[in-house]
Amino acid sequence: DTAVSQTPKYLVTQMGNDKSIKCEQNLGHDTMYWYKQDSKKFLKIMFSYNNKELIINETVPNRFSPKSPDKAHLNLHINSLELGDSAVYFCASSRRELAGGLMAGELFFGEGSRLTVL
Amino acid sequence: GQQVMQIPQYQHVQEGEDFTTYCNSSTTLSNIQWYKQRPGGHPVFLIQLVKSGEVKKQKRLTFQFGEAKKNSSLHITATQTTDVGTYFCAGNWEGYSTLTFGKGTMLLVSP
């Protein structure tokens, strides 16, 4: 059983289109994340949800809208795609640990969704 | 925001040589995690270090957390081709609720 699964694995689309990526975790974690990995392999946090509530929203264009229907799912919708949105998008989940404040425990990543905008 | 600086960006070694990657934070970390990402794969958790001066070993991998909890290292003894990948450190700071990843060190191992 895959712990964190995301679909689709590959997305090729034209500039200006809208696309969605879905993510589901069966680990019982309260917190889910979206990370963007660019061509230089840099992993940048985009969003973090805890029990369906948004807790982190880094500097991400408004074209990106996450939605968490329940704590096991976190989807990412992207409007008006641009060339610079081409990247691998990773969903992840974790427990939160109390260590000087609540912080992320071990992250479990999905296999990634490679988005190519032409 | 908080950052971890990771060096080197890239290292190419011969099989059997040792390898080390380093992470530094300008402020005290609560803990640090290490991940490995194989080419074409996703990051996979290796370990978490919490205590000042902590040293942990996993077979040929040795992880250290500095006394001041501002730096960490991952050392691989006698690399093998299966060690190929990008190694990331990721820091947690008190008052910040999410991990911040270093830029990673890409390791290539030639047979």
Side-chain angles (χ1 to χ4, degrees):
Chain A
D1 265 353
T2 306
V4 181
S5 58
Q6 52 183 111
T7 55
K9 200 164 180 180
Y10 299 97
L11 268 172
V12 181
T13 190
Q14 301 285 334
M15 272 176 55
N17 284 350
D18 303 340
K19 288 292 175 189
S20 292
I21 308 171
K22 294 187 175 182
C23 180
E24 177 181 1
Q25 55 97 3
N26 62 7
L27 297 166
H29 291 161
D30 286 339
T31 307
M32 295 185 72
Y33 311 83
W34 278 109
Y35 279 86
K36 179 181 179 181
Q37 187 170 49
D38 60 23
S39 56
K40 294 183 180 176
K41 298 289 189 186
F42 183 41
L43 271 167
K44 187 171 164 50
I45 181 75
M46 298 174 70
F47 301 102
S48 172
Y49 269 74
N50 182 246
N51 272 325
K52 303 191 298 173
E53 284 190 30
L54 180 66
I55 54 171
I56 294 282
N57 181 355
E58 292 294 316
T59 310
V60 175
N62 291 339
R63 300 180 294 102
F64 290 79
S65 51
K67 282 212 172 87
S68 182
D70 56 61
K71 72 176 193 178
H73 295 84
L74 180 62
N75 304 324
L76 182 65
H77 186 76
I78 316 170
N79 287 328
S80 304
L81 279 156
E82 300 177 357
L83 292 176
D85 297 332
S86 295
V88 180
Y89 292 84
F90 285 102
C91 175
S93 73
S94 76
R95 278 189 293 267
R96 298 192 77 71
E97 300 175 349
L98 189 58
L102 282 172
M103 50 189 66
E106 171 188 351
L107 260 59
F108 291 79
F109 284 86
E111 293 189 346
S113 297
R114 181 176 293 277
L115 171 65
T116 303
V117 182
L118 302 174
Chain B
Q2 300 286 15
Q3 288 186 331
V4 277
M5 305 303 293
Q6 188 172 358
I7 57 168
Q9 195 175 338
Y10 169 87
Q11 188 148 12
H12 187 178
V13 300
Q14 294 292 120
E15 194 170 21
E17 292 181 338
D18 293 354
F19 159 77
T20 306
T21 173
Y22 302 89
C23 276
N24 286 288
S25 168
S26 58
T27 55
T28 304
L29 291 152
S30 291
N31 60 59
I32 194 159
Q33 299 179 11
W34 286 92
Y35 291 78
K36 176 183 178 181
Q37 184 177 18
R38 293 182 190 276
H42 58 280
V44 175
F45 175 83
L46 295 175
I47 210 155
Q48 176 170 283
L49 304 172
V50 179
K51 297 177 186 172
S52 165
E54 191 167 17
V55 178
K56 286 189 177 178
K57 292 194 174 190
Q58 290 178 352
K59 296 183 182 177
R60 294 178 294 102
L61 276 60
T62 303
F63 303 85
Q64 292 190 320
F65 203 8
E67 294 289 342
K69 297 182 69 173
K70 288 185 177 181
N71 57 72
S72 181
S73 64
L74 157 59
H75 179 82
I76 303 178
T77 305
T79 53
Q80 299 175 358
T81 54
T82 51
D83 295 325
V84 163
T86 302
Y87 293 84
F88 293 94
C89 61
N92 261 321
W93 291 264
E94 192 169 328
Y96 288 83
S97 56
T98 195
L99 279 174
T100 298
F101 280 78
K103 293 194 174 182
T105 297
M106 184 183 293
L107 172 64
L108 286 182
V109 181
S110 295

mmCIF file of all heavy atoms in Angstrom, chain B residues 45-92:
data_model
loop_
_atom_site.group_PDB
_atom_site.id
_atom_site.type_symbol
_atom_site.label_atom_id
_atom_site.label_comp_id
_atom_site.label_asym_id
_atom_site.label_seq_id
_atom_site.Cartn_x
_atom_site.Cartn_y
_atom_site.Cartn_z
ATOM 1 N N PHE B 45 13.249 9.869 3.977
ATOM 2 C CA PHE B 45 13.817 10.212 5.293
ATOM 3 C C PHE B 45 14.923 9.236 5.668
ATOM 4 O O PHE B 45 14.781 8.015 5.512
ATOM 5 C CB PHE B 45 12.686 10.160 6.322
ATOM 6 C CG PHE B 45 13.104 10.374 7.745
ATOM 7 C CD1 PHE B 45 13.265 11.659 8.246
ATOM 8 C CD2 PHE B 45 13.318 9.297 8.596
ATOM 9 C CE1 PHE B 45 13.626 11.866 9.570
ATOM 10 C CE2 PHE B 45 13.678 9.496 9.919
ATOM 11 C CZ PHE B 45 13.830 10.783 10.402
ATOM 12 N N LEU B 46 16.034 9.793 6.172
ATOM 13 C CA LEU B 46 17.114 8.955 6.683
ATOM 14 C C LEU B 46 17.153 8.972 8.202
ATOM 15 O O LEU B 46 17.215 7.917 8.853
ATOM 16 C CB LEU B 46 18.470 9.441 6.136
ATOM 17 C CG LEU B 46 18.689 9.317 4.625
ATOM 18 C CD1 LEU B 46 20.025 9.948 4.237
ATOM 19 C CD2 LEU B 46 18.650 7.851 4.201
ATOM 20 N N ILE B 47 17.163 10.194 8.772
ATOM 21 C CA ILE B 47 17.370 10.279 10.217
ATOM 22 C C ILE B 47 16.984 11.662 10.728
ATOM 23 O O ILE B 47 16.915 12.621 9.951
ATOM 24 C CB ILE B 47 18.842 9.986 10.560
ATOM 25 C CG1 ILE B 47 18.981 9.360 11.941
ATOM 26 C CG2 ILE B 47 19.713 11.238 10.431
ATOM 27 C CD1 ILE B 47 20.229 8.524 12.083
ATOM 28 N N GLN B 48 16.726 11.737 12.026
ATOM 29 C CA GLN B 48 16.524 13.026 12.686
ATOM 30 C C GLN B 48 17.489 13.123 13.852
ATOM 31 O O GLN B 48 17.647 12.171 14.618
ATOM 32 C CB GLN B 48 15.082 13.157 13.189
ATOM 33 C CG GLN B 48 14.826 14.440 13.973
ATOM 34 C CD GLN B 48 13.359 14.680 14.249
ATOM 35 O OE1 GLN B 48 12.605 15.105 13.386
ATOM 36 N NE2 GLN B 48 12.944 14.411 15.475
ATOM 37 N N LEU B 49 18.143 14.275 13.990
ATOM 38 C CA LEU B 49 19.045 14.545 15.107
ATOM 39 C C LEU B 49 18.433 15.644 15.954
ATOM 40 O O LEU B 49 17.963 16.654 15.423
ATOM 41 C CB LEU B 49 20.419 14.983 14.594
ATOM 42 C CG LEU B 49 21.103 14.015 13.625
ATOM 43 C CD1 LEU B 49 22.355 14.645 13.043
ATOM 44 C CD2 LEU B 49 21.459 12.715 14.341
ATOM 45 N N VAL B 50 18.464 15.449 17.249
ATOM 46 C CA VAL B 50 17.786 16.371 18.154
ATOM 47 C C VAL B 50 18.724 16.973 19.204
ATOM 48 O O VAL B 50 18.634 18.153 19.524
ATOM 49 C CB VAL B 50 16.606 15.664 18.862
ATOM 50 C CG1 VAL B 50 15.909 16.616 19.820
ATOM 51 C CG2 VAL B 50 15.625 15.119 17.844
ATOM 52 N N LYS B 51 19.620 16.151 19.717
ATOM 53 C CA LYS B 51 20.437 16.595 20.859
ATOM 54 C C LYS B 51 21.757 17.212 20.408
ATOM 55 O O LYS B 51 22.369 16.779 19.423
ATOM 56 C CB LYS B 51 20.742 15.401 21.763
ATOM 57 C CG LYS B 51 19.511 14.771 22.383
ATOM 58 C CD LYS B 51 19.907 13.549 23.203
ATOM 59 C CE LYS B 51 18.672 12.826 23.707
ATOM 60 N NZ LYS B 51 19.003 11.548 24.325
ATOM 61 N N SER B 52 22.213 18.162 21.179
ATOM 62 C CA SER B 52 23.500 18.800 20.944
ATOM 63 C C SER B 52 24.603 17.753 20.942
ATOM 64 O O SER B 52 24.668 16.918 21.846
ATOM 65 C CB SER B 52 23.735 19.823 22.057
ATOM 66 O OG SER B 52 25.062 20.229 22.090
ATOM 67 N N GLY B 53 25.466 17.772 19.908
ATOM 68 C CA GLY B 53 26.585 16.836 19.848
ATOM 69 C C GLY B 53 26.208 15.413 19.465
ATOM 70 O O GLY B 53 27.066 14.521 19.491
ATOM 71 N N GLU B 54 24.976 15.199 19.095
ATOM 72 C CA GLU B 54 24.508 13.835 18.809
ATOM 73 C C GLU B 54 25.229 13.250 17.595
ATOM 74 O O GLU B 54 25.489 13.947 16.621
ATOM 75 C CB GLU B 54 23.002 13.870 18.550
ATOM 76 C CG GLU B 54 22.327 12.516 18.490
ATOM 77 C CD GLU B 54 20.803 12.629 18.538
ATOM 78 O OE1 GLU B 54 20.248 13.724 18.305
ATOM 79 O OE2 GLU B 54 20.159 11.598 18.805
ATOM 80 N N VAL B 55 25.553 11.968 17.691
ATOM 81 C CA VAL B 55 26.132 11.213 16.581
ATOM 82 C C VAL B 55 25.311 9.941 16.409
ATOM 83 O O VAL B 55 25.094 9.219 17.377
ATOM 84 C CB VAL B 55 27.608 10.848 16.826
ATOM 85 C CG1 VAL B 55 28.150 10.016 15.661
ATOM 86 C CG2 VAL B 55 28.449 12.083 17.042
ATOM 87 N N LYS B 56 24.876 9.704 15.183
ATOM 88 C CA LYS B 56 24.124 8.473 14.914
ATOM 89 C C LYS B 56 24.721 7.799 13.693
ATOM 90 O O LYS B 56 25.182 8.469 12.765
ATOM 91 C CB LYS B 56 22.648 8.785 14.649
ATOM 92 C CG LYS B 56 21.863 9.168 15.884
ATOM 93 C CD LYS B 56 20.365 9.231 15.572
ATOM 94 C CE LYS B 56 19.558 9.532 16.814
ATOM 95 N NZ LYS B 56 18.108 9.634 16.529
ATOM 96 N N LYS B 57 24.677 6.471 13.709
ATOM 97 C CA LYS B 57 25.229 5.710 12.587
ATOM 98 C C LYS B 57 24.170 4.802 11.999
ATOM 99 O O LYS B 57 23.355 4.206 12.710
ATOM 100 C CB LYS B 57 26.425 4.875 13.055
ATOM 101 C CG LYS B 57 27.615 5.699 13.452
ATOM 102 C CD LYS B 57 28.871 4.853 13.578
ATOM 103 C CE LYS B 57 30.053 5.774 13.831
ATOM 104 N NZ LYS B 57 31.339 5.105 13.749
ATOM 105 N N GLN B 58 24.226 4.697 10.671
ATOM 106 C CA GLN B 58 23.412 3.719 9.960
ATOM 107 C C GLN B 58 24.366 3.043 8.980
ATOM 108 O O GLN B 58 24.667 3.597 7.925
ATOM 109 C CB GLN B 58 22.276 4.399 9.176
ATOM 110 C CG GLN B 58 21.188 4.990 10.009
ATOM 111 C CD GLN B 58 20.124 5.687 9.152
ATOM 112 O OE1 GLN B 58 20.276 5.855 7.950
ATOM 113 N NE2 GLN B 58 19.033 6.107 9.791
ATOM 114 N N LYS B 59 24.864 1.906 9.329
ATOM 115 C CA LYS B 59 25.826 1.159 8.494
ATOM 116 C C LYS B 59 26.987 2.076 8.125
ATOM 117 O O LYS B 59 27.751 2.497 8.990
ATOM 118 C CB LYS B 59 25.114 0.596 7.264
ATOM 119 C CG LYS B 59 24.040 -0.429 7.627
ATOM 120 C CD LYS B 59 23.398 -1.025 6.393
ATOM 121 C CE LYS B 59 22.307 -2.005 6.811
ATOM 122 N NZ LYS B 59 21.587 -2.567 5.637
ATOM 123 N N ARG B 60 27.151 2.424 6.876
ATOM 124 C CA ARG B 60 28.304 3.240 6.468
ATOM 125 C C ARG B 60 28.027 4.742 6.588
ATOM 126 O O ARG B 60 28.895 5.561 6.283
ATOM 127 C CB ARG B 60 28.651 2.908 5.005
ATOM 128 C CG ARG B 60 29.143 1.489 4.801
ATOM 129 C CD ARG B 60 29.438 1.173 3.333
ATOM 130 N NE ARG B 60 28.202 1.201 2.540
ATOM 131 C CZ ARG B 60 27.849 2.201 1.755
ATOM 132 N NH1 ARG B 60 28.642 3.256 1.607
ATOM 133 N NH2 ARG B 60 26.726 2.151 1.067
ATOM 134 N N LEU B 61 26.840 5.126 7.039
ATOM 135 C CA LEU B 61 26.488 6.535 7.147
ATOM 136 C C LEU B 61 26.624 6.989 8.595
ATOM 137 O O LEU B 61 26.128 6.322 9.503
ATOM 138 C CB LEU B 61 25.038 6.757 6.691
ATOM 139 C CG LEU B 61 24.772 6.935 5.201
ATOM 140 C CD1 LEU B 61 25.203 5.738 4.378
ATOM 141 C CD2 LEU B 61 23.306 7.243 4.959
ATOM 142 N N THR B 62 27.287 8.125 8.801
ATOM 143 C CA THR B 62 27.426 8.715 10.132
ATOM 144 C C THR B 62 26.883 10.125 10.088
ATOM 145 O O THR B 62 27.290 10.930 9.243
ATOM 146 C CB THR B 62 28.898 8.739 10.583
ATOM 147 O OG1 THR B 62 29.423 7.420 10.565
ATOM 148 C CG2 THR B 62 29.008 9.316 11.994
ATOM 149 N N PHE B 63 25.965 10.416 10.996
ATOM 150 C CA PHE B 63 25.318 11.719 11.073
ATOM 151 C C PHE B 63 25.764 12.397 12.368
ATOM 152 O O PHE B 63 25.774 11.763 13.425
ATOM 153 C CB PHE B 63 23.790 11.569 11.088
ATOM 154 C CG PHE B 63 23.234 10.833 9.908
ATOM 155 C CD1 PHE B 63 23.188 9.438 9.912
ATOM 156 C CD2 PHE B 63 22.755 11.516 8.812
ATOM 157 C CE1 PHE B 63 22.669 8.746 8.826
ATOM 158 C CE2 PHE B 63 22.218 10.827 7.726
ATOM 159 C CZ PHE B 63 22.182 9.448 7.733
ATOM 160 N N GLN B 64 26.093 13.696 12.266
ATOM 161 C CA GLN B 64 26.496 14.441 13.452
ATOM 162 C C GLN B 64 25.703 15.729 13.561
ATOM 163 O O GLN B 64 25.397 16.361 12.551
ATOM 164 C CB GLN B 64 27.989 14.785 13.375
ATOM 165 C CG GLN B 64 28.901 13.588 13.469
ATOM 166 C CD GLN B 64 30.358 13.993 13.624
ATOM 167 O OE1 GLN B 64 30.798 14.940 12.987
ATOM 168 N NE2 GLN B 64 31.081 13.286 14.450
ATOM 169 N N PHE B 65 25.431 16.123 14.792
ATOM 170 C CA PHE B 65 24.786 17.394 15.080
ATOM 171 C C PHE B 65 25.761 18.174 15.948
ATOM 172 O O PHE B 65 26.265 17.664 16.950
ATOM 173 C CB PHE B 65 23.472 17.150 15.826
ATOM 174 C CG PHE B 65 22.462 18.256 15.712
ATOM 175 C CD1 PHE B 65 22.621 19.344 14.865
ATOM 176 C CD2 PHE B 65 21.302 18.195 16.483
ATOM 177 C CE1 PHE B 65 21.663 20.333 14.772
ATOM 178 C CE2 PHE B 65 20.330 19.181 16.385
ATOM 179 C CZ PHE B 65 20.506 20.246 15.532
ATOM 180 N N GLY B 66 26.036 19.412 15.584
ATOM 181 C CA GLY B 66 27.040 20.189 16.291
ATOM 182 C C GLY B 66 26.645 20.511 17.720
ATOM 183 O O GLY B 66 25.462 20.500 18.078
ATOM 184 N N GLU B 67 27.649 20.851 18.511
ATOM 185 C CA GLU B 67 27.415 21.159 19.923
ATOM 186 C C GLU B 67 26.485 22.358 20.077
ATOM 187 O O GLU B 67 25.670 22.418 20.997
ATOM 188 C CB GLU B 67 28.743 21.449 20.627
ATOM 189 C CG GLU B 67 29.682 20.255 20.727
ATOM 190 C CD GLU B 67 29.173 19.208 21.715
ATOM 191 O OE1 GLU B 67 28.310 19.528 22.562
ATOM 192 O OE2 GLU B 67 29.634 18.051 21.625
ATOM 193 N N ALA B 68 26.616 23.317 19.182
ATOM 194 C CA ALA B 68 25.786 24.527 19.258
ATOM 195 C C ALA B 68 24.455 24.347 18.532
ATOM 196 O O ALA B 68 23.643 25.286 18.479
ATOM 197 C CB ALA B 68 26.536 25.713 18.667
ATOM 198 N N LYS B 69 24.240 23.186 17.955
ATOM 199 C CA LYS B 69 23.021 22.883 17.182
ATOM 200 C C LYS B 69 22.828 23.882 16.040
ATOM 201 O O LYS B 69 21.716 24.303 15.723
ATOM 202 C CB LYS B 69 21.784 22.833 18.090
ATOM 203 C CG LYS B 69 21.857 21.725 19.128
ATOM 204 C CD LYS B 69 20.618 21.622 20.002
ATOM 205 C CE LYS B 69 19.417 21.133 19.265
ATOM 206 N NZ LYS B 69 18.255 20.877 20.142
ATOM 207 N N LYS B 70 23.950 24.243 15.418
ATOM 208 C CA LYS B 70 23.852 25.129 14.255
ATOM 209 C C LYS B 70 24.404 24.462 13.002
ATOM 210 O O LYS B 70 24.303 25.008 11.910
ATOM 211 C CB LYS B 70 24.645 26.426 14.503
ATOM 212 C CG LYS B 70 24.008 27.360 15.504
ATOM 213 C CD LYS B 70 24.801 28.646 15.588
ATOM 214 C CE LYS B 70 24.132 29.624 16.546
ATOM 215 N NZ LYS B 70 24.890 30.888 16.623
ATOM 216 N N ASN B 71 25.014 23.300 13.162
ATOM 217 C CA ASN B 71 25.538 22.624 11.990
ATOM 218 C C ASN B 71 25.402 21.121 12.132
ATOM 219 O O ASN B 71 25.243 20.592 13.245
ATOM 220 C CB ASN B 71 26.992 23.007 11.733
ATOM 221 C CG ASN B 71 27.859 22.719 12.926
ATOM 222 O OD1 ASN B 71 28.148 21.573 13.230
ATOM 223 N ND2 ASN B 71 28.276 23.743 13.638
ATOM 224 N N SER B 72 25.459 20.473 10.981
ATOM 225 C CA SER B 72 25.297 19.030 10.939
ATOM 226 C C SER B 72 26.058 18.496 9.737
ATOM 227 O O SER B 72 26.346 19.239 8.783
ATOM 228 C CB SER B 72 23.815 18.673 10.832
ATOM 229 O OG SER B 72 23.621 17.269 10.810
ATOM 230 N N SER B 73 26.422 17.217 9.810
ATOM 231 C CA SER B 73 27.107 16.607 8.688
ATOM 232 C C SER B 73 26.629 15.180 8.490
ATOM 233 O O SER B 73 26.150 14.526 9.424
ATOM 234 C CB SER B 73 28.619 16.631 8.891
ATOM 235 O OG SER B 73 28.975 15.849 10.023
ATOM 236 N N LEU B 74 26.778 14.744 7.257
ATOM 237 C CA LEU B 74 26.520 13.345 6.897
ATOM 238 C C LEU B 74 27.778 12.830 6.224
ATOM 239 O O LEU B 74 28.260 13.425 5.246
ATOM 240 C CB LEU B 74 25.323 13.271 5.934
ATOM 241 C CG LEU B 74 25.214 12.041 5.025
ATOM 242 C CD1 LEU B 74 25.142 10.754 5.818
ATOM 243 C CD2 LEU B 74 24.006 12.165 4.111
ATOM 244 N N HIS B 75 28.331 11.769 6.755
ATOM 245 C CA HIS B 75 29.560 11.184 6.220
ATOM 246 C C HIS B 75 29.264 9.773 5.756
ATOM 247 O O HIS B 75 28.661 8.994 6.498
ATOM 248 C CB HIS B 75 30.641 11.180 7.308
ATOM 249 C CG HIS B 75 31.933 10.578 6.852
ATOM 250 N ND1 HIS B 75 32.875 11.276 6.139
ATOM 251 C CD2 HIS B 75 32.433 9.327 6.999
ATOM 252 C CE1 HIS B 75 33.906 10.488 5.872
ATOM 253 N NE2 HIS B 75 33.665 9.303 6.386
ATOM 254 N N ILE B 76 29.671 9.460 4.540
ATOM 255 C CA ILE B 76 29.532 8.091 4.021
ATOM 256 C C ILE B 76 30.932 7.511 3.871
ATOM 257 O O ILE B 76 31.791 8.086 3.180
ATOM 258 C CB ILE B 76 28.792 8.045 2.679
ATOM 259 C CG1 ILE B 76 27.414 8.703 2.800
ATOM 260 C CG2 ILE B 76 28.652 6.595 2.201
ATOM 261 C CD1 ILE B 76 26.629 8.733 1.494
ATOM 262 N N THR B 77 31.152 6.385 4.497
ATOM 263 C CA THR B 77 32.440 5.691 4.408
ATOM 264 C C THR B 77 32.393 4.697 3.256
ATOM 265 O O THR B 77 31.396 3.983 3.093
ATOM 266 C CB THR B 77 32.706 4.930 5.719
ATOM 267 O OG1 THR B 77 32.619 5.852 6.805
ATOM 268 C CG2 THR B 77 34.070 4.275 5.709
ATOM 269 N N ALA B 78 33.453 4.687 2.466
ATOM 270 C CA ALA B 78 33.589 3.707 1.380
ATOM 271 C C ALA B 78 32.331 3.666 0.511
ATOM 272 O O ALA B 78 31.579 2.689 0.521
ATOM 273 C CB ALA B 78 33.901 2.327 1.957
ATOM 274 N N THR B 79 32.138 4.733 -0.242
ATOM 275 C CA THR B 79 30.930 4.854 -1.044
ATOM 276 C C THR B 79 30.749 3.681 -2.003
ATOM 277 O O THR B 79 31.724 3.056 -2.455
ATOM 278 C CB THR B 79 30.948 6.151 -1.870
ATOM 279 O OG1 THR B 79 32.170 6.203 -2.621
ATOM 280 C CG2 THR B 79 30.822 7.371 -0.991
ATOM 281 N N GLN B 80 29.487 3.434 -2.304
ATOM 282 C CA GLN B 80 29.116 2.416 -3.283
ATOM 283 C C GLN B 80 28.229 3.084 -4.332
ATOM 284 O O GLN B 80 27.672 4.160 -4.086
ATOM 285 C CB GLN B 80 28.360 1.271 -2.599
ATOM 286 C CG GLN B 80 29.174 0.569 -1.531
ATOM 287 C CD GLN B 80 28.384 -0.483 -0.765
ATOM 288 O OE1 GLN B 80 27.195 -0.683 -0.993
ATOM 289 N NE2 GLN B 80 29.073 -1.162 0.158
ATOM 290 N N THR B 81 28.073 2.434 -5.465
ATOM 291 C CA THR B 81 27.259 3.041 -6.532
ATOM 292 C C THR B 81 25.807 3.224 -6.098
ATOM 293 O O THR B 81 25.107 4.096 -6.605
ATOM 294 C CB THR B 81 27.322 2.212 -7.822
ATOM 295 O OG1 THR B 81 26.958 0.871 -7.524
ATOM 296 C CG2 THR B 81 28.721 2.254 -8.434
ATOM 297 N N THR B 82 25.389 2.442 -5.140
ATOM 298 C CA THR B 82 24.017 2.573 -4.631
ATOM 299 C C THR B 82 23.823 3.835 -3.787
ATOM 300 O O THR B 82 22.695 4.187 -3.434
ATOM 301 C CB THR B 82 23.629 1.365 -3.770
ATOM 302 O OG1 THR B 82 24.643 1.166 -2.786
ATOM 303 C CG2 THR B 82 23.485 0.114 -4.628
ATOM 304 N N ASP B 83 24.927 4.522 -3.452
ATOM 305 C CA ASP B 83 24.821 5.758 -2.677
ATOM 306 C C ASP B 83 24.493 6.964 -3.556
ATOM 307 O O ASP B 83 24.237 8.054 -3.033
ATOM 308 C CB ASP B 83 26.136 6.037 -1.933
ATOM 309 C CG ASP B 83 26.446 4.987 -0.888
ATOM 310 O OD1 ASP B 83 25.501 4.471 -0.259
ATOM 311 O OD2 ASP B 83 27.639 4.670 -0.705
ATOM 312 N N VAL B 84 24.511 6.758 -4.858
ATOM 313 C CA VAL B 84 24.234 7.864 -5.782
ATOM 314 C C VAL B 84 22.884 8.498 -5.475
ATOM 315 O O VAL B 84 21.897 7.809 -5.228
ATOM 316 C CB VAL B 84 24.263 7.349 -7.235
ATOM 317 C CG1 VAL B 84 23.586 8.319 -8.181
ATOM 318 C CG2 VAL B 84 25.679 7.071 -7.677
ATOM 319 N N GLY B 85 22.857 9.829 -5.494
ATOM 320 C CA GLY B 85 21.610 10.554 -5.250
ATOM 321 C C GLY B 85 21.908 11.937 -4.715
ATOM 322 O O GLY B 85 23.067 12.348 -4.627
ATOM 323 N N THR B 86 20.849 12.639 -4.345
ATOM 324 C CA THR B 86 20.999 13.946 -3.726
ATOM 325 C C THR B 86 20.624 13.836 -2.261
ATOM 326 O O THR B 86 19.565 13.298 -1.916
ATOM 327 C CB THR B 86 20.108 14.993 -4.434
ATOM 328 O OG1 THR B 86 20.467 15.053 -5.812
ATOM 329 C CG2 THR B 86 20.283 16.366 -3.801
ATOM 330 N N TYR B 87 21.497 14.347 -1.414
ATOM 331 C CA TYR B 87 21.292 14.300 0.032
ATOM 332 C C TYR B 87 20.896 15.686 0.519
ATOM 333 O O TYR B 87 21.583 16.670 0.246
ATOM 334 C CB TYR B 87 22.562 13.814 0.729
ATOM 335 C CG TYR B 87 22.870 12.371 0.417
ATOM 336 C CD1 TYR B 87 23.571 12.019 -0.742
ATOM 337 C CD2 TYR B 87 22.427 11.349 1.254
ATOM 338 C CE1 TYR B 87 23.823 10.698 -1.059
ATOM 339 C CE2 TYR B 87 22.687 10.011 0.947
ATOM 340 C CZ TYR B 87 23.374 9.705 -0.210
ATOM 341 O OH TYR B 87 23.620 8.382 -0.518
ATOM 342 N N PHE B 88 19.777 15.740 1.215
ATOM 343 C CA PHE B 88 19.255 17.004 1.730
ATOM 344 C C PHE B 88 19.264 16.996 3.254
ATOM 345 O O PHE B 88 18.866 16.006 3.871
ATOM 346 C CB PHE B 88 17.796 17.209 1.307
ATOM 347 C CG PHE B 88 17.571 17.415 -0.160
ATOM 348 C CD1 PHE B 88 17.259 16.339 -0.982
ATOM 349 C CD2 PHE B 88 17.656 18.684 -0.715
ATOM 350 C CE1 PHE B 88 17.033 16.528 -2.340
ATOM 351 C CE2 PHE B 88 17.431 18.877 -2.071
ATOM 352 C CZ PHE B 88 17.117 17.797 -2.882
ATOM 353 N N CYS B 89 19.665 18.128 3.823
ATOM 354 C CA CYS B 89 19.366 18.344 5.223
ATOM 355 C C CYS B 89 18.119 19.233 5.277
ATOM 356 O O CYS B 89 17.818 19.948 4.320
ATOM 357 C CB CYS B 89 20.523 19.012 5.966
ATOM 358 S SG CYS B 89 20.968 20.639 5.337
ATOM 359 N N ALA B 90 17.406 19.166 6.379
ATOM 360 C CA ALA B 90 16.196 19.973 6.549
ATOM 361 C C ALA B 90 16.104 20.369 8.017
ATOM 362 O O ALA B 90 16.176 19.506 8.896
ATOM 363 C CB ALA B 90 14.960 19.187 6.122
ATOM 364 N N GLY B 91 15.946 21.662 8.254
ATOM 365 C CA GLY B 91 15.986 22.164 9.626
ATOM 366 C C GLY B 91 14.630 22.544 10.169
ATOM 367 O O GLY B 91 13.738 22.983 9.433
ATOM 368 N N ASN B 92 14.501 22.320 11.478
ATOM 369 C CA ASN B 92 13.347 22.787 12.250
ATOM 370 C C ASN B 92 13.869 23.791 13.263
ATOM 371 O O ASN B 92 14.850 23.517 13.959
ATOM 372 C CB ASN B 92 12.705 21.626 13.027
ATOM 373 C CG ASN B 92 11.500 21.049 12.337
ATOM 374 O OD1 ASN B 92 10.687 21.762 11.753
ATOM 375 N ND2 ASN B 92 11.356 19.743 12.423
#
